[in-house]
Amino acid sequence: MSMNTTAHVPDPGIARATALSREVLASVGRAVVGKREELELVLAAVLAGGHVLLEDFPGLGKTLAARSFAQALGLEFTRAQFTPDLLPGDLTGSFLFDPRRQEFSFREGPLFTNLLLADEVNRTPPKTQAALLEAMQEGQTTIGGVNHRLPRPFMVMATQNPIEEEGTYVLPEAQMDRFLLKEVITYPTPVDELEVLERIDSGAMSAPVAASPISVEDVLVLQDLSRRVYVHNTLKAYIVDIINTTRGAGPNPLPGWAKHVRVGASPRGGIALMQISQALALMDGRNYVVPDDIKKLRYAILRHRIIRTFDALADNVSVEGLIDAVFNAVPVP
């Protein structure tokens, strides 16, 4: 690919952004053992201003990871446990009558934070999920016909348990698409699990939390720098070809694609590929995107945007295998 990167003079803020990103990851790594690649993608989502869906088994440290990121980024953190009886007002807040002042006053709910951990988001009814959706999409919530802006930055880190379906409300495709990326967390390696035991035994897990390496203002600056990372037109066309190929179209349509894929990625998937690529480039100390940035995050961006058919499930065709087929079919510029 021919890219004139010399025309883009490195921003002096790039080096500082890279250093701050490494400090944040190092800070989170002192609490969360292993999972370096997953943590990098979560930080990239923060810089891109998006939301993250974590699918994992119980006890794998999702709450610890979310709280650690909030502390490392200097963000206000709130955790909401999603249950079948959770009401929209439990998230958004509501107007309460103050008998002393003889008037109604608004009491903010857990949505009014910088980083919200929506724990087991698929356990709450669609009406409450819709209240979360408005906050994720619009950066605001509506109570009593009045719009209330949420703090900036605002990010949702939602989790769902893949092993239990009883008493759950499956997130519809349109709502899944609102998440910038979906990361599947696996069990730690024996080496990492041994490290967890050693840290607990030594008391390192309960040590006082170090001061945040960056502030909320730094996060906003990093988000602005991420948006200004250069993406060559050929890479934009590459992303468009990838997204179209997931729909069974594109310059190199895959034979028999319709048998295994019911719905491909929406344009929001292409936007996510570009925005996360920009964040990864910034974290790597570059002010321009390269094809490897796009390929690195293909599973996290597309696994929840490609809807498989029953034939694919019956044939045990994984969504990751379908994503690999797409990237193998589209020539790299």
PDB file of all heavy atoms in Angstrom, residues 238 241-255 257 295 298 321-333:
ATOM      1  N   TYR A 238     -10.860  -0.563   2.142  1.00  0.00           N
ATOM      2  CA  TYR A 238     -10.623  -1.924   2.645  1.00  0.00           C
ATOM      3  C   TYR A 238     -11.667  -2.287   3.702  1.00  0.00           C
ATOM      4  O   TYR A 238     -12.237  -3.392   3.681  1.00  0.00           O
ATOM      5  CB  TYR A 238      -9.215  -1.973   3.236  1.00  0.00           C
ATOM      6  CG  TYR A 238      -8.789  -3.277   3.872  1.00  0.00           C
ATOM      7  CD1 TYR A 238      -8.898  -4.484   3.190  1.00  0.00           C
ATOM      8  CD2 TYR A 238      -8.269  -3.287   5.165  1.00  0.00           C
ATOM      9  CE1 TYR A 238      -8.492  -5.670   3.784  1.00  0.00           C
ATOM     10  CE2 TYR A 238      -7.849  -4.464   5.765  1.00  0.00           C
ATOM     11  CZ  TYR A 238      -7.968  -5.653   5.076  1.00  0.00           C
ATOM     12  OH  TYR A 238      -7.557  -6.831   5.661  1.00  0.00           O
ATOM     13  N   ASP A 241     -15.029  -2.887   2.010  1.00  0.00           N
ATOM     14  CA  ASP A 241     -15.049  -4.199   1.355  1.00  0.00           C
ATOM     15  C   ASP A 241     -15.264  -5.318   2.376  1.00  0.00           C
ATOM     16  O   ASP A 241     -15.990  -6.286   2.119  1.00  0.00           O
ATOM     17  CB  ASP A 241     -13.748  -4.435   0.586  1.00  0.00           C
ATOM     18  CG  ASP A 241     -13.644  -3.594  -0.679  1.00  0.00           C
ATOM     19  OD1 ASP A 241     -14.687  -3.047  -1.101  1.00  0.00           O
ATOM     20  OD2 ASP A 241     -12.535  -3.475  -1.230  1.00  0.00           O
ATOM     21  N   ILE A 242     -14.621  -5.199   3.539  1.00  0.00           N
ATOM     22  CA  ILE A 242     -14.792  -6.208   4.589  1.00  0.00           C
ATOM     23  C   ILE A 242     -16.241  -6.263   5.049  1.00  0.00           C
ATOM     24  O   ILE A 242     -16.849  -7.340   5.150  1.00  0.00           O
ATOM     25  CB  ILE A 242     -13.864  -5.895   5.779  1.00  0.00           C
ATOM     26  CG1 ILE A 242     -12.402  -6.157   5.406  1.00  0.00           C
ATOM     27  CG2 ILE A 242     -14.252  -6.718   6.999  1.00  0.00           C
ATOM     28  CD1 ILE A 242     -11.414  -5.641   6.414  1.00  0.00           C
ATOM     29  N   ILE A 243     -16.816  -5.096   5.330  1.00  0.00           N
ATOM     30  CA  ILE A 243     -18.197  -5.049   5.818  1.00  0.00           C
ATOM     31  C   ILE A 243     -19.157  -5.592   4.770  1.00  0.00           C
ATOM     32  O   ILE A 243     -20.084  -6.353   5.086  1.00  0.00           O
ATOM     33  CB  ILE A 243     -18.577  -3.608   6.223  1.00  0.00           C
ATOM     34  CG1 ILE A 243     -17.691  -3.135   7.386  1.00  0.00           C
ATOM     35  CG2 ILE A 243     -20.038  -3.536   6.609  1.00  0.00           C
ATOM     36  CD1 ILE A 243     -17.772  -3.997   8.625  1.00  0.00           C
ATOM     37  N   ASN A 244     -18.952  -5.230   3.503  1.00  0.00           N
ATOM     38  CA  ASN A 244     -19.829  -5.727   2.442  1.00  0.00           C
ATOM     39  C   ASN A 244     -19.695  -7.227   2.251  1.00  0.00           C
ATOM     40  O   ASN A 244     -20.675  -7.912   1.937  1.00  0.00           O
ATOM     41  CB  ASN A 244     -19.545  -4.988   1.132  1.00  0.00           C
ATOM     42  CG  ASN A 244     -20.320  -3.688   1.022  1.00  0.00           C
ATOM     43  OD1 ASN A 244     -21.462  -3.676   0.608  1.00  0.00           O
ATOM     44  ND2 ASN A 244     -19.691  -2.590   1.421  1.00  0.00           N
ATOM     45  N   THR A 245     -18.502  -7.749   2.451  1.00  0.00           N
ATOM     46  CA  THR A 245     -18.301  -9.191   2.317  1.00  0.00           C
ATOM     47  C   THR A 245     -19.036  -9.949   3.411  1.00  0.00           C
ATOM     48  O   THR A 245     -19.531 -11.063   3.184  1.00  0.00           O
ATOM     49  CB  THR A 245     -16.796  -9.529   2.360  1.00  0.00           C
ATOM     50  OG1 THR A 245     -16.126  -8.801   1.322  1.00  0.00           O
ATOM     51  CG2 THR A 245     -16.566 -11.016   2.115  1.00  0.00           C
ATOM     52  N   THR A 246     -19.166  -9.359   4.606  1.00  0.00           N
ATOM     53  CA  THR A 246     -19.946 -10.025   5.655  1.00  0.00           C
ATOM     54  C   THR A 246     -21.416 -10.111   5.280  1.00  0.00           C
ATOM     55  O   THR A 246     -22.149 -10.927   5.855  1.00  0.00           O
ATOM     56  CB  THR A 246     -19.826  -9.288   7.007  1.00  0.00           C
ATOM     57  OG1 THR A 246     -20.491  -8.018   6.949  1.00  0.00           O
ATOM     58  CG2 THR A 246     -18.376  -9.104   7.408  1.00  0.00           C
ATOM     59  N   ARG A 247     -21.848  -9.303   4.329  1.00  0.00           N
ATOM     60  CA  ARG A 247     -23.251  -9.320   3.890  1.00  0.00           C
ATOM     61  C   ARG A 247     -23.441 -10.197   2.655  1.00  0.00           C
ATOM     62  O   ARG A 247     -24.523 -10.209   2.064  1.00  0.00           O
ATOM     63  CB  ARG A 247     -23.725  -7.903   3.576  1.00  0.00           C
ATOM     64  CG  ARG A 247     -23.557  -6.918   4.720  1.00  0.00           C
ATOM     65  CD  ARG A 247     -23.821  -5.512   4.242  1.00  0.00           C
ATOM     66  NE  ARG A 247     -23.462  -4.511   5.256  1.00  0.00           N
ATOM     67  CZ  ARG A 247     -23.178  -3.246   4.988  1.00  0.00           C
ATOM     68  NH1 ARG A 247     -23.208  -2.824   3.724  1.00  0.00           N
ATOM     69  NH2 ARG A 247     -22.861  -2.410   5.951  1.00  0.00           N
ATOM     70  N   GLY A 248     -22.385 -10.884   2.230  1.00  0.00           N
ATOM     71  CA  GLY A 248     -22.478 -11.727   1.037  1.00  0.00           C
ATOM     72  C   GLY A 248     -22.289 -10.963  -0.242  1.00  0.00           C
ATOM     73  O   GLY A 248     -22.587 -11.471  -1.329  1.00  0.00           O
ATOM     74  N   ALA A 249     -21.797  -9.728  -0.149  1.00  0.00           N
ATOM     75  CA  ALA A 249     -21.578  -8.896  -1.331  1.00  0.00           C
ATOM     76  C   ALA A 249     -20.089  -8.586  -1.426  1.00  0.00           C
ATOM     77  O   ALA A 249     -19.251  -9.430  -1.126  1.00  0.00           O
ATOM     78  CB  ALA A 249     -22.418  -7.625  -1.243  1.00  0.00           C
ATOM     79  N   GLY A 250     -19.755  -7.366  -1.830  1.00  0.00           N
ATOM     80  CA  GLY A 250     -18.352  -6.985  -1.936  1.00  0.00           C
ATOM     81  C   GLY A 250     -17.730  -7.445  -3.237  1.00  0.00           C
ATOM     82  O   GLY A 250     -18.355  -8.151  -4.038  1.00  0.00           O
ATOM     83  N   PRO A 251     -16.469  -7.067  -3.478  1.00  0.00           N
ATOM     84  CA  PRO A 251     -15.792  -7.407  -4.732  1.00  0.00           C
ATOM     85  C   PRO A 251     -15.496  -8.896  -4.860  1.00  0.00           C
ATOM     86  O   PRO A 251     -15.338  -9.403  -5.977  1.00  0.00           O
ATOM     87  CB  PRO A 251     -14.503  -6.587  -4.676  1.00  0.00           C
ATOM     88  CG  PRO A 251     -14.254  -6.376  -3.210  1.00  0.00           C
ATOM     89  CD  PRO A 251     -15.613  -6.258  -2.591  1.00  0.00           C
ATOM     90  N   ASN A 252     -15.389  -9.609  -3.740  1.00  0.00           N
ATOM     91  CA  ASN A 252     -15.082 -11.044  -3.764  1.00  0.00           C
ATOM     92  C   ASN A 252     -16.065 -11.795  -2.871  1.00  0.00           C
ATOM     93  O   ASN A 252     -15.702 -12.291  -1.801  1.00  0.00           O
ATOM     94  CB  ASN A 252     -13.648 -11.300  -3.299  1.00  0.00           C
ATOM     95  CG  ASN A 252     -12.617 -10.656  -4.192  1.00  0.00           C
ATOM     96  OD1 ASN A 252     -12.387 -11.110  -5.303  1.00  0.00           O
ATOM     97  ND2 ASN A 252     -12.016  -9.575  -3.708  1.00  0.00           N
ATOM     98  N   PRO A 253     -17.350 -11.910  -3.307  1.00  0.00           N
ATOM     99  CA  PRO A 253     -18.340 -12.595  -2.462  1.00  0.00           C
ATOM    100  C   PRO A 253     -17.974 -14.061  -2.258  1.00  0.00           C
ATOM    101  O   PRO A 253     -17.487 -14.733  -3.169  1.00  0.00           O
ATOM    102  CB  PRO A 253     -19.640 -12.433  -3.258  1.00  0.00           C
ATOM    103  CG  PRO A 253     -19.214 -12.169  -4.660  1.00  0.00           C
ATOM    104  CD  PRO A 253     -17.921 -11.423  -4.571  1.00  0.00           C
ATOM    105  N   LEU A 254     -18.207 -14.535  -1.051  1.00  0.00           N
ATOM    106  CA  LEU A 254     -17.866 -15.910  -0.716  1.00  0.00           C
ATOM    107  C   LEU A 254     -18.990 -16.857  -1.146  1.00  0.00           C
ATOM    108  O   LEU A 254     -20.166 -16.593  -0.868  1.00  0.00           O
ATOM    109  CB  LEU A 254     -17.627 -16.033   0.791  1.00  0.00           C
ATOM    110  CG  LEU A 254     -16.409 -15.278   1.320  1.00  0.00           C
ATOM    111  CD1 LEU A 254     -16.437 -15.217   2.837  1.00  0.00           C
ATOM    112  CD2 LEU A 254     -15.136 -15.941   0.853  1.00  0.00           C
ATOM    113  N   PRO A 255     -18.663 -17.960  -1.808  1.00  0.00           N
ATOM    114  CA  PRO A 255     -19.704 -18.911  -2.236  1.00  0.00           C
ATOM    115  C   PRO A 255     -20.361 -19.585  -1.035  1.00  0.00           C
ATOM    116  O   PRO A 255     -19.700 -19.940  -0.059  1.00  0.00           O
ATOM    117  CB  PRO A 255     -18.912 -19.924  -3.075  1.00  0.00           C
ATOM    118  CG  PRO A 255     -17.503 -19.814  -2.605  1.00  0.00           C
ATOM    119  CD  PRO A 255     -17.314 -18.384  -2.209  1.00  0.00           C
ATOM    120  N   TRP A 257     -22.230 -18.305   1.191  1.00  0.00           N
ATOM    121  CA  TRP A 257     -22.240 -17.471   2.397  1.00  0.00           C
ATOM    122  C   TRP A 257     -23.629 -17.421   3.035  1.00  0.00           C
ATOM    123  O   TRP A 257     -23.757 -17.472   4.262  1.00  0.00           O
ATOM    124  CB  TRP A 257     -21.769 -16.070   2.033  1.00  0.00           C
ATOM    125  CG  TRP A 257     -21.572 -15.143   3.204  1.00  0.00           C
ATOM    126  CD1 TRP A 257     -22.377 -14.112   3.566  1.00  0.00           C
ATOM    127  CD2 TRP A 257     -20.510 -15.164   4.159  1.00  0.00           C
ATOM    128  NE1 TRP A 257     -21.884 -13.471   4.678  1.00  0.00           N
ATOM    129  CE2 TRP A 257     -20.724 -14.096   5.066  1.00  0.00           C
ATOM    130  CE3 TRP A 257     -19.387 -15.975   4.340  1.00  0.00           C
ATOM    131  CZ2 TRP A 257     -19.870 -13.831   6.127  1.00  0.00           C
ATOM    132  CZ3 TRP A 257     -18.538 -15.702   5.400  1.00  0.00           C
ATOM    133  CH2 TRP A 257     -18.784 -14.652   6.276  1.00  0.00           C
ATOM    134  N   LYS A 295      -6.816  -5.750  11.232  1.00  0.00           N
ATOM    135  CA  LYS A 295      -6.868  -7.204  11.355  1.00  0.00           C
ATOM    136  C   LYS A 295      -6.798  -7.647  12.813  1.00  0.00           C
ATOM    137  O   LYS A 295      -7.402  -8.650  13.203  1.00  0.00           O
ATOM    138  CB  LYS A 295      -5.727  -7.833  10.551  1.00  0.00           C
ATOM    139  CG  LYS A 295      -5.841  -7.607   9.051  1.00  0.00           C
ATOM    140  CD  LYS A 295      -4.592  -8.011   8.312  1.00  0.00           C
ATOM    141  CE  LYS A 295      -4.362  -9.508   8.349  1.00  0.00           C
ATOM    142  NZ  LYS A 295      -3.183  -9.896   7.534  1.00  0.00           N
ATOM    143  N   ARG A 298     -10.359  -7.781  14.537  1.00  0.00           N
ATOM    144  CA  ARG A 298     -11.476  -8.246  13.714  1.00  0.00           C
ATOM    145  C   ARG A 298     -12.517  -9.037  14.523  1.00  0.00           C
ATOM    146  O   ARG A 298     -13.722  -8.861  14.324  1.00  0.00           O
ATOM    147  CB  ARG A 298     -10.969  -9.082  12.546  1.00  0.00           C
ATOM    148  CG  ARG A 298     -10.208 -10.354  12.920  1.00  0.00           C
ATOM    149  CD  ARG A 298      -9.522 -10.932  11.677  1.00  0.00           C
ATOM    150  NE  ARG A 298      -8.841 -12.210  11.952  1.00  0.00           N
ATOM    151  CZ  ARG A 298      -7.626 -12.310  12.477  1.00  0.00           C
ATOM    152  NH1 ARG A 298      -6.972 -11.195  12.802  1.00  0.00           N
ATOM    153  NH2 ARG A 298      -7.076 -13.490  12.678  1.00  0.00           N
ATOM    154  N   GLY A 321     -14.504 -18.319  12.645  1.00  0.00           N
ATOM    155  CA  GLY A 321     -14.133 -18.913  11.364  1.00  0.00           C
ATOM    156  C   GLY A 321     -14.705 -18.145  10.194  1.00  0.00           C
ATOM    157  O   GLY A 321     -14.045 -17.985   9.157  1.00  0.00           O
ATOM    158  N   LEU A 322     -15.931 -17.650  10.342  1.00  0.00           N
ATOM    159  CA  LEU A 322     -16.537 -16.837   9.294  1.00  0.00           C
ATOM    160  C   LEU A 322     -15.788 -15.518   9.114  1.00  0.00           C
ATOM    161  O   LEU A 322     -15.587 -15.053   7.988  1.00  0.00           O
ATOM    162  CB  LEU A 322     -18.008 -16.569   9.637  1.00  0.00           C
ATOM    163  CG  LEU A 322     -18.938 -17.792   9.622  1.00  0.00           C
ATOM    164  CD1 LEU A 322     -20.293 -17.426  10.217  1.00  0.00           C
ATOM    165  CD2 LEU A 322     -19.101 -18.335   8.203  1.00  0.00           C
ATOM    166  N   ILE A 323     -15.374 -14.926  10.221  1.00  0.00           N
ATOM    167  CA  ILE A 323     -14.620 -13.667  10.144  1.00  0.00           C
ATOM    168  C   ILE A 323     -13.286 -13.896   9.446  1.00  0.00           C
ATOM    169  O   ILE A 323     -12.863 -13.090   8.603  1.00  0.00           O
ATOM    170  CB  ILE A 323     -14.419 -13.082  11.557  1.00  0.00           C
ATOM    171  CG1 ILE A 323     -15.759 -12.662  12.155  1.00  0.00           C
ATOM    172  CG2 ILE A 323     -13.450 -11.897  11.522  1.00  0.00           C
ATOM    173  CD1 ILE A 323     -15.699 -12.297  13.624  1.00  0.00           C
ATOM    174  N   ASP A 324     -12.621 -14.995   9.770  1.00  0.00           N
ATOM    175  CA  ASP A 324     -11.357 -15.314   9.092  1.00  0.00           C
ATOM    176  C   ASP A 324     -11.572 -15.487   7.594  1.00  0.00           C
ATOM    177  O   ASP A 324     -10.746 -15.051   6.787  1.00  0.00           O
ATOM    178  CB  ASP A 324     -10.749 -16.589   9.683  1.00  0.00           C
ATOM    179  CG  ASP A 324     -10.112 -16.357  11.042  1.00  0.00           C
ATOM    180  OD1 ASP A 324      -9.771 -15.197  11.348  1.00  0.00           O
ATOM    181  OD2 ASP A 324      -9.955 -17.341  11.798  1.00  0.00           O
ATOM    182  N   ALA A 325     -12.679 -16.113   7.216  1.00  0.00           N
ATOM    183  CA  ALA A 325     -12.972 -16.304   5.794  1.00  0.00           C
ATOM    184  C   ALA A 325     -13.144 -14.961   5.087  1.00  0.00           C
ATOM    185  O   ALA A 325     -12.687 -14.783   3.946  1.00  0.00           O
ATOM    186  CB  ALA A 325     -14.235 -17.157   5.633  1.00  0.00           C
ATOM    187  N   VAL A 326     -13.785 -14.023   5.759  1.00  0.00           N
ATOM    188  CA  VAL A 326     -13.962 -12.689   5.179  1.00  0.00           C
ATOM    189  C   VAL A 326     -12.618 -12.006   4.965  1.00  0.00           C
ATOM    190  O   VAL A 326     -12.336 -11.479   3.872  1.00  0.00           O
ATOM    191  CB  VAL A 326     -14.867 -11.826   6.096  1.00  0.00           C
ATOM    192  CG1 VAL A 326     -14.812 -10.359   5.659  1.00  0.00           C
ATOM    193  CG2 VAL A 326     -16.291 -12.341   6.076  1.00  0.00           C
ATOM    194  N   PHE A 327     -11.772 -12.022   5.966  1.00  0.00           N
ATOM    195  CA  PHE A 327     -10.481 -11.337   5.857  1.00  0.00           C
ATOM    196  C   PHE A 327      -9.567 -12.033   4.869  1.00  0.00           C
ATOM    197  O   PHE A 327      -8.721 -11.378   4.235  1.00  0.00           O
ATOM    198  CB  PHE A 327      -9.831 -11.228   7.239  1.00  0.00           C
ATOM    199  CG  PHE A 327     -10.245 -10.019   8.011  1.00  0.00           C
ATOM    200  CD1 PHE A 327     -11.499  -9.978   8.644  1.00  0.00           C
ATOM    201  CD2 PHE A 327      -9.438  -8.902   8.081  1.00  0.00           C
ATOM    202  CE1 PHE A 327     -11.901  -8.861   9.335  1.00  0.00           C
ATOM    203  CE2 PHE A 327      -9.834  -7.768   8.788  1.00  0.00           C
ATOM    204  CZ  PHE A 327     -11.074  -7.737   9.416  1.00  0.00           C
ATOM    205  N   ASN A 328      -9.711 -13.340   4.707  1.00  0.00           N
ATOM    206  CA  ASN A 328      -8.908 -14.038   3.705  1.00  0.00           C
ATOM    207  C   ASN A 328      -9.376 -13.729   2.286  1.00  0.00           C
ATOM    208  O   ASN A 328      -8.599 -13.798   1.333  1.00  0.00           O
ATOM    209  CB  ASN A 328      -8.963 -15.550   3.946  1.00  0.00           C
ATOM    210  CG  ASN A 328      -8.214 -15.980   5.194  1.00  0.00           C
ATOM    211  OD1 ASN A 328      -7.291 -15.293   5.634  1.00  0.00           O
ATOM    212  ND2 ASN A 328      -8.619 -17.085   5.796  1.00  0.00           N
ATOM    213  N   ALA A 329     -10.668 -13.389   2.154  1.00  0.00           N
ATOM    214  CA  ALA A 329     -11.220 -13.134   0.817  1.00  0.00           C
ATOM    215  C   ALA A 329     -10.960 -11.708   0.343  1.00  0.00           C
ATOM    216  O   ALA A 329     -10.938 -11.455  -0.866  1.00  0.00           O
ATOM    217  CB  ALA A 329     -12.730 -13.398   0.832  1.00  0.00           C
ATOM    218  N   VAL A 330     -10.766 -10.781   1.275  1.00  0.00           N
ATOM    219  CA  VAL A 330     -10.566  -9.369   0.886  1.00  0.00           C
ATOM    220  C   VAL A 330      -9.077  -9.072   0.808  1.00  0.00           C
ATOM    221  O   VAL A 330      -8.371  -9.191   1.814  1.00  0.00           O
ATOM    222  CB  VAL A 330     -11.251  -8.435   1.912  1.00  0.00           C
ATOM    223  CG1 VAL A 330     -11.037  -6.984   1.506  1.00  0.00           C
ATOM    224  CG2 VAL A 330     -12.744  -8.736   2.008  1.00  0.00           C
ATOM    225  N   PRO A 331      -8.587  -8.669  -0.369  1.00  0.00           N
ATOM    226  CA  PRO A 331      -7.148  -8.366  -0.499  1.00  0.00           C
ATOM    227  C   PRO A 331      -6.719  -7.215   0.404  1.00  0.00           C
ATOM    228  O   PRO A 331      -7.434  -6.211   0.531  1.00  0.00           O
ATOM    229  CB  PRO A 331      -7.004  -7.989  -1.981  1.00  0.00           C
ATOM    230  CG  PRO A 331      -8.221  -8.531  -2.661  1.00  0.00           C
ATOM    231  CD  PRO A 331      -9.301  -8.499  -1.631  1.00  0.00           C
ATOM    232  N   VAL A 332      -5.569  -7.364   1.026  1.00  0.00           N
ATOM    233  CA  VAL A 332      -5.023  -6.297   1.867  1.00  0.00           C
ATOM    234  C   VAL A 332      -4.390  -5.239   0.977  1.00  0.00           C
ATOM    235  O   VAL A 332      -3.577  -5.571   0.113  1.00  0.00           O
ATOM    236  CB  VAL A 332      -3.973  -6.860   2.852  1.00  0.00           C
ATOM    237  CG1 VAL A 332      -3.387  -5.745   3.715  1.00  0.00           C
ATOM    238  CG2 VAL A 332      -4.599  -7.941   3.718  1.00  0.00           C
ATOM    239  N   PRO A 333      -4.733  -3.975   1.144  1.00  0.00           N
ATOM    240  CA  PRO A 333      -4.167  -2.930   0.272  1.00  0.00           C
ATOM    241  C   PRO A 333      -2.678  -2.704   0.550  1.00  0.00           C
ATOM    242  O   PRO A 333      -2.201  -2.978   1.635  1.00  0.00           O
ATOM    243  CB  PRO A 333      -4.988  -1.689   0.635  1.00  0.00           C
ATOM    244  CG  PRO A 333      -5.505  -1.945   2.017  1.00  0.00           C
ATOM    245  CD  PRO A 333      -5.697  -3.424   2.128  1.00  0.00           C
TER     246      PRO A 333
END
